[in-house]
Amino acid sequence: DIQMTQSPTSLSASVGDRVTITCQASQDISNFLNWYQQKPGKAPKLLIFDASNLETGVPSRFSGSGSGTDFTFTISSLQPEDIATYYCQQNENLPLLTFGPGTTVDIK
Amino acid sequence: QVQLQESGPGLVKPSQTLSLTCTVSGGSLSSGNSFWSWFRQSAGKGLEWLAHIYASGSAMHNPSLKSRVTISVDPPKNQFSLNLSSVTAADTALYFCAKYNLFTRAFDIWGQGTMVTVSS
């Protein structure tokens, strides 16, 4: 099974700050990596697909990069509505897929 | 715009079978560019994939749940369903259905989720 790790587990930043989350796969997953945002009690929302492609309608302050085993998710200027947990998800070995454990982002 | 809505009992007794249905609206479950999935999330925990199914009925289940999970599809009703047998308190969770887009290779549409509690 492909295992996903994320760091940090949580972070606190100020409005306007640049926020970076990393995701690492236990083996090469090429660019089969997606990023989701989840607010408490709500469903996940797709932000980034194929490691670096912005989903339609998602603000451009969100971005993703990476390939192979190491990936990065960035919020260029943190906004109050970005308070959420962010998950990476691999689908290199569909139909099996796994999510990272999540990174909780809040406002300092 | 495709929308998904989960339905089913919010309370299930231990050892019984949990049954949930996801209704697809605003589009066809048989569109051919998707497959359909169930996930769950226990309190304070991450997302756990349960099962996928294509409109054709071809399905895959999370091996970690052994043979407890069954997923089925009803294209004329535009619905797909999940059965989880022999439930315990550990199956208490928020259950989501979702659509996987075969072009973007991501889950682009999610239901709002339905809370299921296992308790006598």
Side-chain angles (χ1 to χ4, degrees):
Chain A
D1 289 5
I2 298 176
Q3 306 301 317
M4 307 300 293
T5 58
Q6 285 182 238
S7 63
T9 301
S10 63
L11 67 88
S12 185
S14 299
V15 172
D17 281 355
R18 184 181 185 86
V19 168
T20 299
I21 299 168
T22 62
C23 175
Q24 188 168 58
S26 60
Q27 64 188 67
D28 189 337
I29 60 170
S30 183
N31 70 333
F32 291 83
L33 191 284
N34 305 316
W35 290 95
Y36 299 84
Q37 174 193 68
Q38 187 181 31
K39 298 183 178 180
K42 301 296 186 181
K45 175 186 176 182
L46 176 65
L47 300 180
I48 303 286
F49 63 92
D50 285 350
S52 61
N53 293 290
L54 195 66
E55 172 71 345
T56 303
V58 173
S60 59
R61 65 181 181 273
F62 297 101
S63 65
S65 64
S67 67
T69 60
D70 296 301
F71 301 86
T72 300
F73 172 81
T74 300
I75 307 173
S76 61
S77 177
L78 185 67
Q79 300 302 303
E81 60 267 31
D82 300 336
I83 301 313
T85 299
Y86 293 84
Y87 294 94
C88 60
Q89 174 253 315
Q90 70 79 20
N91 55 6
E92 192 276 343
N93 63 338
L94 268 182
L96 299 178
L97 60 90
T98 46
F99 286 86
T103 296
T104 300
V105 175
D106 66 19
I107 298 289
K108 188 182 298 182
Chain B
Q1 173 73 329
V2 172
Q3 293 184 310
L4 305 179
Q5 179 66 60
E6 304 90 348
S7 59
L11 181 64
V12 181
K13 294 185 186 316
S15 79
Q16 293 190 342
T17 295
L18 179 165
S19 296
L20 298 173
T21 295
C22 184
T23 300
V24 180
S25 60
S28 173
L29 181 148
S30 303
S31 66
N33 61 356
S34 308
F35 65 70
W36 308 89
S37 305
W38 285 99
F39 296 87
R40 70 181 180 182
Q41 186 171 38
S42 304
K45 300 290 182 62
L47 290 154
E48 180 183 20
W49 164 65
L50 302 177
H52 306 310
I53 194 163
Y54 287 86
S56 64
S58 175
M60 177 71 182
H61 309 92
N62 189 328
S64 69
L65 291 166
K66 299 185 174 61
S67 57
R68 294 202 298 135
V69 173
T70 304
I71 189 171
S72 59
V73 65
D74 190 339
K77 291 186 177 179
N78 234 19
Q79 294 177 334
F80 61 105
S81 299
L82 177 80
N83 280 352
L84 180 64
S85 63
S86 305
V87 297
T88 70
D91 296 308
T92 293
L94 184 58
Y95 286 76
F96 297 100
C97 58
K99 165 184 165 290
Y100 184 84
N101 186 317
L102 290 170
F103 297 133
T104 62
R105 302 185 299 194
F107 293 95
D108 60 354
I109 306 292
W110 294 72
Q112 66 185 23
T114 186
M115 184 66 202
V116 178
T117 300
V118 178
S119 175
S120 55

